[in-house]
Amino acid sequence: RILQHFHTTAEDYTIIFTSGCTAALKLVAEAFPWVPEGTKQPSSRFCYLTDSHTSVVGMRGITASMNVLSVPIKPKEILLSEKNRLPAEEQNCTTPHLFSYPAQSNFSGTKYPLSWIQDIKSGKLCPIKIPGKWFVLLDAASYVSSSPLDLGVHQADFIPVSFYKIFGFPTGLGALLVNNRIAPLLRKTYFGGGTAAAYLAGEDFYFPRKSIAERFEDGTVSFLDIIALKHGFDVLEKLTGGMEKIKQHTFALARYTYTVLSTLKYSNGAPVVRIYSDTDFSNPDVQGPVINFNVLDENGEVIGFSQVDKMASLYNIHVRTGCFCNTGACQLHLGISNEDIQRNLQAGHVCGDDIDLIDGRPTGSVRISFGYMSSFEDAQTFLKFIITTRLSKLDTEISFQSSDTKLTTEAVPDDHPSFNYADKLSPVPHISDSKLRNNSSVTKTTVNWQPPEAEAESIRAAVSETAVPTCRRGGKPITVTNIYLYPIKSCSAFEVTEWPVGNQGLLYDRNWMVVNQNGVCMTQKQEPRLCLVNPSVDLKQNVMVIQAEGMDPISVSLEENTGKEAVISESKVCSHRVKTYDCGEEIAGWFSLFLGRPCRLIRQSSDMKNRSHQKNAKGLASATSISLSLVNEAQYLLINVASILQLKEHISARLEEPLEIEELIRRFRANIVISAPESFEEEEWAEISIGALRFQVVGPCSRCQIICIDQRSGERNKEFLQSLSAARGRKTNLGIYLMNQPLHSYFPDTLSVGSQVLPVLKENTEIQPPTSSEE
């Protein structure tokens, strides 16, 4: 049935089942009859188009180990390769060479000519000028998902395919279609179960099976999934009428979307998107149903793909972002040099992360693809998303950025531990602490845990002296206005005025989390009603009380269950593995009843030395191992009331209704809320000290859709993330992450409302570093 789908028969092709397209490519690299360098016979070459998937480029690792040279070929170069044709006397060489190219670029959807197959095999096209016989590997993974491939006409030697890309099931199953003319030449060293006709355990004797497929399918194939393939192909044919109709249908959607996207303009005439394409989407034979682009702002600057992805998720739209495992095409279309790739790596960017802009330049892009199940309504939904988020009201609004306050450096004398404040920065409207904390839905408590004043003052003085190599000058003092902890991850905040600090952050902050019946962490993204669960911690009674409307309160002991009945298991929090234990049936039943689905409450085990972050904390102990609770990124999250106030004005204008500052503060779920004179000045800080505590800033907090959830009702409003994006101009950062290095003292460290915040500025080009004597 598979061969029928590709218009060929078992006389011409053999199917070797693999775990996926990548495994099929690896098999070709290992089994191809390469002739290495250093032999009497001319050596082989592995040539590949630079617009190729990582799994194709990765084949060069295997060929290099076999002493075979790899040669990358740019798309424009292959069109000029007729000049590489060999004279007749050199065309009799039998050295095998392999050329690989994609039938369709997975980056841009460009379809490369299938005629290249025969042209290269016949010698009409030569990727490089070298004697030998060329074989062709056609990477068809992207192409066959929406286009018919006729192997009766275009007889490539190797065709790797991935079935889930065709009809969505099953994952983990691919195949390599091998032309029977080359199959006998393939070599194999390892032999697994089912591949041997006979072998001896005591001697070096092995005789392979005659069938090529059986010889290369090591171990048990995924036979249950293989059985399902027939049904997949049959249903695909029944639903759509065949691949040609799929090709026309998906291309029509892509062409319509491309046409509208390419004509979208801001009021100043600037384009809304930059499309990366080699075609004008006029011909389905040269363009697949893939559109690759970046969104631009009114000034033509790229908006990072990570931000676009977050916004798309609010509209239930799934996009791919990054470089799509195709660095060659990404470099070509985005103008990224080899040196840029290496510099980006040094800057911390790796494939698959969210670092989308470095020095204002994009590290990747956004890709949308259409399949046989895609509809015209899907295309319209996507276009409405772009228009709504980029053009709706946006042209009449003024984006605001981080504070542009000029920073200066001045040495602080040893006998002057405090900062020299001057009223240079304009103060924000005053908001009293009582007003900020007047929130009936957030529990608030005070812990009388104050150190001896003399010792505390001496430590504060010591911190002040050491924490100002580059100090913030001018303005009014910065103070802590609110402190929140979140005992249960993604549940409601618990507000306090003083609270002890442990080695993982605020004591009991995010020590518990709710998981579904599969043990996967539940957050407000999946279950917004979690914000209606109100936990409060009573240190005197040594319990956590959990309340929710319509439910009887329930208590959980703060004492860790270390008995034999406590079963320690592993859970995952943002790719980090953590050790946890279950809190029992009673509390599991409480959460299951309230949320209306089976779930359980688990707690982090104290045996958490395995979950730590290695941070090079400047001014602190280098390569310090910092312990984390069940947080995503860092021990603490800090936000600035001045920043919230500026955002409040922006959102209120878009919503055309008043907005309470308290509601906004709750949406951003910070641990520490401060009142600083300037909005977003916290983004210029490298370290801060609060009382006797010293913190390192480890980076900005890039916001997700959770800020769209009203923490009092659980209702969503996507306007909040859109407003933050518009307000900040191409990013969704608000707040900073902190890590703490507790000072060694004989009293417990505490964090208190009203404490003064002493920041240390980042080093940047506007700040002249002090001399060594000043340091």
Side-chain angles (χ1 to χ4, degrees):
R1 183 64 183 86
I2 297 171
L3 292 173
Q4 177 188 338
H5 181 81
F6 295 114
H7 305 280
T8 188
T9 66
E11 292 182 3
D12 293 324
Y13 283 90
T14 294
I15 297 176
I16 301 172
F17 287 108
T18 64
S19 62
C21 196
T22 297
L25 292 164
K26 184 170 178 283
L27 191 156
V28 174
E30 293 171 338
F32 190 80
W34 307 105
V35 176
E37 293 280 315
T39 61
K40 294 181 180 180
Q41 186 179 351
S43 57
S44 297
R45 294 291 185 272
F46 169 51
C47 294
Y48 58 88
L49 211 64
T50 52
D51 185 359
S52 288
H53 193 278
T54 302
S55 299
V56 171
V57 180
M59 293 171 65
R60 71 186 185 198
I62 295 175
T63 60
S65 68
M66 298 179 178
N67 203 19
V68 172
L69 295 179
S70 298
V71 183
I73 306 291
K74 295 179 181 178
K76 291 182 179 179
E77 293 174 348
I78 195 70
L79 299 175
L80 304 174
S81 63
E82 286 191 22
K83 298 179 181 179
N84 295 330
R85 294 186 68 174
L86 297 171
E89 62 271 15
E90 294 185 17
Q91 293 181 6
N92 296 325
C93 179
T94 59
T95 296
H97 308 295
L98 182 64
F99 176 68
S100 173
Y101 78 99
Q104 175 177 294
S105 169
N106 74 309
F107 182 92
S108 63
T110 297
K111 290 182 177 179
Y112 291 102
L114 296 179
S115 59
W116 284 2
I117 297 170
Q118 185 56 36
D119 288 346
I120 289 174
K121 292 174 70 172
S122 67
K124 182 180 178 181
L125 292 178
C126 291
I128 57 175
K129 193 169 185 178
I130 189 172
K133 180 176 176 59
W134 284 95
F135 295 89
V136 177
L137 188 160
L138 182 72
D139 179 6
S142 176
Y143 182 89
V144 299
S145 64
S146 57
S147 299
L149 177 60
D150 190 339
L151 294 181
V153 177
H154 306 291
Q155 296 192 349
D157 298 291
F158 305 99
I159 306 97
V161 295
S162 185
F163 294 111
Y164 86 88
K165 288 185 173 68
I166 301 175
F167 37 74
F169 177 88
T171 56
L173 181 66
L176 178 66
L177 278 67
V178 182
N179 193 310
N180 289 337
R181 284 190 287 273
I182 191 177
L185 302 178
L186 298 182
R187 301 180 299 204
K188 191 164 185 282
T189 52
Y190 173 80
F191 59 94
T195 64
Y199 77 95
L200 291 174
E203 294 183 22
D204 187 11
F205 172 77
Y206 159 73
F207 194 83
R209 288 183 177 271
K210 287 186 177 181
S211 165
I212 295 296
E214 290 179 331
R215 188 184 305 176
F216 283 91
E217 290 171 351
D218 293 306
T220 304
V221 295
S222 185
F223 55 86
L224 293 178
D225 287 335
I226 291 172
I227 291 172
L229 292 179
K230 180 183 184 302
H231 301 283
F233 282 114
D234 290 345
V235 170
L236 186 70
E237 185 79 23
K238 182 178 179 180
L239 288 177
T240 66
M243 294 305 298
E244 182 59 37
K245 290 186 176 180
I246 291 175
K247 172 184 171 182
Q248 298 297 334
H249 169 71
T250 55
F251 177 74
L253 295 178
R255 183 179 183 182
Y256 164 73
T257 306
Y258 168 85
T259 302
V260 176
L261 270 183
S262 59
T263 56
L264 291 179
K265 298 283 192 297
Y266 289 105
S267 58
N268 63 359
V272 174
V273 299
R274 177 181 299 147
I275 298 175
Y276 305 111
S277 175
D278 300 309
T279 78
D280 60 359
F281 282 73
S282 61
N283 186 350
D285 292 330
V286 297
Q287 177 65 51
V290 176
I291 304 175
N292 198 307
F293 63 96
N294 265 318
V295 179
L296 309 176
D297 66 11
E298 302 94 321
N299 300 316
E301 298 293 326
V302 172
I303 296 172
F305 60 74
S306 179
Q307 180 179 330
V308 176
D309 187 25
K310 289 177 183 178
M311 300 302 296
S313 68
L314 295 179
Y315 289 78
N316 296 320
I317 297 172
H318 178 73
V319 296
R320 275 285 305 268
T321 60
C323 271
F324 321 102
C325 294
N326 190 333
T327 300
C330 193
Q331 286 186 257
L332 176 66
H333 287 282
L334 273 67
I336 303 174
S337 68
N338 293 348
E339 293 74 23
D340 290 335
I341 295 287
Q342 295 167 348
R343 276 196 297 267
N344 291 349
L345 178 62
Q346 292 174 347
H349 170 57
V350 297
C351 292
D353 67 15
D354 289 336
I355 301 176
D356 47 21
L357 296 172
I358 295 180
D359 296 329
R361 297 182 60 194
T363 62
S365 54
V366 182
R367 187 188 74 186
I368 60 172
S369 306
F370 295 98
Y372 71 87
M373 74 299 292
S374 300
S375 65
F376 180 67
E377 289 73 23
D378 294 333
Q380 285 189 314
T381 299
F382 171 76
L383 291 169
K384 287 177 182 176
F385 151 67
I386 294 292
I387 292 169
T388 300
T389 56
R390 298 314 308 163
L391 297 178
S392 188
K393 299 183 183 180
L394 192 62
D395 293 347
T396 60
E397 294 177 347
I398 301 174
S399 297
F400 60 87
Q401 298 290 338
S402 303
S403 169
D404 292 329
T405 306
K406 295 287 184 180
L407 306 174
T408 59
T409 300
E410 185 170 303
V412 178
D414 293 340
D415 60 352
H416 195 292
S418 62
F419 287 104
N420 178 25
Y421 288 104
D423 292 329
K424 292 183 179 179
L425 304 179
S426 57
V428 298
H430 178 68
I431 301 176
S432 67
D433 292 350
S434 59
K435 182 180 178 182
L436 280 176
R437 296 193 301 274
N438 184 20
N439 171 20
S440 59
S441 67
V442 179
T443 313
K444 179 169 61 178
T445 189
T446 299
V447 177
N448 188 18
W449 204 335
Q450 191 71 3
E453 188 60 28
E455 185 176 359
E457 283 302 321
S458 65
I459 290 180
R460 289 191 187 101
V463 170
S464 298
E465 287 184 3
T466 59
V468 289
T470 309
C471 60
R472 171 186 175 274
R473 289 177 52 85
K476 293 186 177 181
I478 303 171
T479 58
V480 176
T481 62
N482 302 77
I483 299 171
Y484 299 99
L485 61 148
Y486 306 83
I488 305 175
K489 184 178 176 68
S490 236
C491 289
S492 182
F494 173 50
E495 185 176 8
V496 296
T497 55
E498 285 183 329
W499 200 253
V501 171
N503 64 352
Q504 294 182 333
L506 292 171
L507 196 62
Y508 300 118
D509 182 44
R510 294 175 176 92
N511 270 203
W512 292 264
M513 68 180 178
V514 181
V515 296
N516 63 18
Q517 56 190 346
N518 297 318
V520 177
C521 175
M522 293 170 60
T523 70
Q524 290 184 27
K525 289 181 182 179
Q526 303 88 30
E527 184 50 79
R529 281 171 54 81
L530 282 170
C531 71
L532 305 179
V533 176
N534 296 286
S536 59
V537 176
D538 189 328
L539 294 177
K540 291 182 179 179
Q541 299 296 324
N542 207 31
V543 295
M544 175 176 65
V545 180
I546 305 172
Q547 303 178 72
E549 187 176 350
M551 302 288 292
D552 293 331
I554 190 168
S555 298
V556 176
S557 173
L558 298 182
E559 291 289 337
E560 185 169 349
N561 185 357
T562 56
K564 294 182 179 178
E565 69 276 8
V567 178
I568 304 297
S569 58
E570 277 199 344
S571 303
K572 288 184 73 174
V573 178
C574 283
S575 77
H576 299 290
R577 295 197 174 275
V578 296
K579 290 188 182 298
T580 59
Y581 66 87
D582 192 278
C583 294
E585 295 298 330
E586 184 181 5
I587 191 66
W590 191 95
F591 272 98
S592 299
L593 178 62
F594 180 71
L595 297 176
R597 63 167 80 178
C599 54
R600 306 191 71 83
L601 183 70
I602 63 175
R603 184 180 184 181
Q604 182 180 23
S605 169
S606 61
D607 180 21
M608 275 305 302
K609 295 183 176 60
N610 62 321
R611 189 184 182 214
S612 61
H613 280 188
Q614 295 294 324
K615 296 289 180 184
N616 289 319
K618 183 180 177 181
L620 306 174
S622 61
T624 304
S625 180
I626 297 179
S627 181
L628 296 180
S629 61
L630 300 177
V631 295
N632 291 352
E633 297 287 344
Q635 294 171 335
Y636 303 86
L637 175 58
L638 177 147
I639 60 174
N640 179 4
V641 172
S643 306
I644 296 291
L645 279 171
Q646 193 164 356
L647 181 65
K648 172 180 174 290
E649 295 175 7
H650 199 89
I651 297 177
S652 295
R654 289 176 66 104
L655 292 176
E656 298 180 350
E657 61 183 51
L659 194 64
E660 295 180 6
I661 185 70
E662 294 87 351
E663 179 192 348
L664 264 183
I665 288 175
R666 287 195 297 272
R667 284 178 182 265
F668 287 96
R669 298 178 63 82
N671 294 112
I672 305 169
V673 182
I674 63 165
S675 180
E678 287 288 328
S679 59
F680 302 106
E681 70 170 278
E682 64 275 14
E683 295 181 354
E684 303 301 325
W685 300 346
E687 298 176 21
I688 66 170
S689 297
I690 303 176
L693 297 168
R694 187 172 177 182
F695 303 88
Q696 182 193 9
V697 178
V698 293
C701 176
S702 179
R703 295 297 180 164
C704 66
Q705 58 182 285
I706 284 184
I707 68 169
C708 297
I709 299 171
D710 187 334
Q711 296 297 300
R712 298 171 300 182
S713 65
E715 296 178 355
R716 295 180 190 264
N717 185 340
K718 55 194 173 202
E719 184 62 44
F720 285 85
L721 188 59
Q722 292 178 193
S723 294
L724 177 61
S725 171
R728 297 309 313 277
R730 300 186 294 134
K731 60 182 178 180
T732 55
N733 295 346
L734 197 144
I736 54 175
Y737 288 120
L738 306 175
M739 290 290 197
N740 176 39
Q741 279 296 301
L743 297 174
H744 298 291
S745 61
Y746 297 103
F747 58 88
D749 291 324
T750 61
L751 196 61
S752 304
V753 168
S755 297
Q756 187 170 334
V757 179
L758 305 178
V760 177
L761 299 178
K762 293 178 183 176
E763 293 181 0
N764 58 46
T765 55
E766 295 183 359
I767 300 175
Q768 296 300 320
T771 64
S772 57
S773 61
E774 289 174 332
E775 286 182 345

